[in-house]
Amino acid sequence: MCRSIKTLRPPALPEEATEEDMRAAALQYVRKVSGFRAPAAHNREVFDRAVEEITTATMTLLDGLEIRGSGARSTAGG
């Protein structure tokens, strides 16, 4: 569906994905689903909220994935 979104987990992405990587993927997803590259002013709040929520969900997903042979990914400081 969103071919421009790259895989953010190892080994596809050798280094750990940054929050910026996750936000860019979330933005691409919201753009694709909504059909808006940039929403009108009256849709900006819901558009931005969706990007934030999807970014958070992406962080949760990547943090919880187990890559075979490497165990769960750990977050900085935890």
Side-chain angles (χ1 to χ4, degrees):
M1 177 170 131
C2 295
R3 287 178 233 170
S4 61
I5 298 175
K6 64 183 178 179
T7 301
L8 297 179
R9 66 160 181 81
L13 186 67
E15 69 280 355
E16 190 165 319
T18 65
E19 184 174 348
E20 183 179 319
D21 293 327
M22 292 180 235
R23 183 172 304 286
L27 178 59
Q28 288 299 315
Y29 177 81
V30 171
R31 285 176 172 169
K32 184 67 151 185
V33 170
S34 70
F36 297 116
R37 179 161 174 25
H42 62 277
N43 287 324
R44 170 62 61 192
E45 184 179 340
V46 70
F47 188 94
D48 291 345
R49 186 170 52 241
V51 172
E52 291 301 319
E53 290 173 358
I54 293 167
T55 300
T56 299
T58 302
M59 290 176 179
T60 300
L61 171 66
L62 292 177
D63 194 44
L65 286 177
E66 290 186 27
I67 308 305
R68 238 183 196 178
S70 67
R73 290 175 44 155
S74 62
T75 59

